[in-house]
């Protein structure tokens, strides 16, 4: 089987994220040396891991919700996104740190999604026993 049969648009997006991470790191370094090139590669790889972890988890949340019979326009599905977004904006506005805001968005989303999952599991189990 040819390599092109195994590649998906997700792989192209990951490549773009890696290259942007490397490019940003090199642009901040000023001059390109062996050490800055290695640091740029590590920085790009780290950015790729963060991207895959966050986007992958959000995508898994969306797919699992859809597979459980929900729609992406349902209020319970949207609650973690809205709560996380509001919390991130509030932290960013208060601290002025985009990194702190992003950190809060991630963790608030995780906990809100977990609460929605537990609540959905409870309601679905309750309906099955009735």
């Amino acid at each position: 089987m040819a390599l092109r049969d195994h590649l998906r648009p997700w792989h192209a997006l990951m490549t773009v994220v890696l290259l942007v991470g490397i490019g940003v790191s090199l642009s901040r370094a000023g001059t390109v040396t062996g050490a800055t090139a290695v640091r740029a590669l590590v920085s790009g790889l780290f950015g790729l891991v963060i991207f895959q972890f966050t986007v992958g988890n959000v995508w898994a949340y969306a797919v699992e919700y859809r597979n459980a019979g929900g729609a992406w326009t349902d209020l319970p599905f949207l609650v973690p996104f809205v709560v996380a977004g509001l919390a991130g904006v509030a932290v960013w506005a208060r601290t002025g740190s985009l990194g702190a805001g992003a950190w809060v968005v991630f963790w608030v989303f995780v906990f809100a999604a977990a609460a929605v999952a537990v609540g959905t599991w409870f309601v679905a189990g309750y309906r099955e026993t009735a």
Side-chain angles (χ1 to χ4, degrees), residues 17-69:
V17 169
L18 174 65
L19 293 175
V20 166
I22 291 171
V24 167
S25 183
L26 284 175
S27 71
R28 289 181 180 168
T31 59
V32 179
T33 64
T36 59
V38 169
R39 277 194 294 270
L41 179 61
V42 170
S43 177
L45 288 171
F46 181 70
L48 179 60
V49 167
I50 297 296
F51 175 80
Q52 273 193 286
F53 185 71
T54 56
V55 173
N57 281 330
V58 170
W59 182 249
Y61 169 74
V63 168
E64 288 302 319
Y65 191 87
R66 179 82 169 166
N67 288 343

Side-chain angles (χ1 to χ4, degrees), residues 53-101:
F53 185 71
T54 56
V55 173
N57 281 330
V58 170
W59 182 249
Y61 169 74
V63 168
E64 288 302 319
Y65 191 87
R66 179 82 169 166
N67 288 343
W72 291 342
T73 56
D74 293 346
L75 185 60
F77 174 75
L78 297 174
V79 164
F81 293 100
V82 172
V83 171
L86 291 174
V89 168
V91 167
W92 173 64
R94 181 161 173 91
T95 65
S97 171
L98 187 59

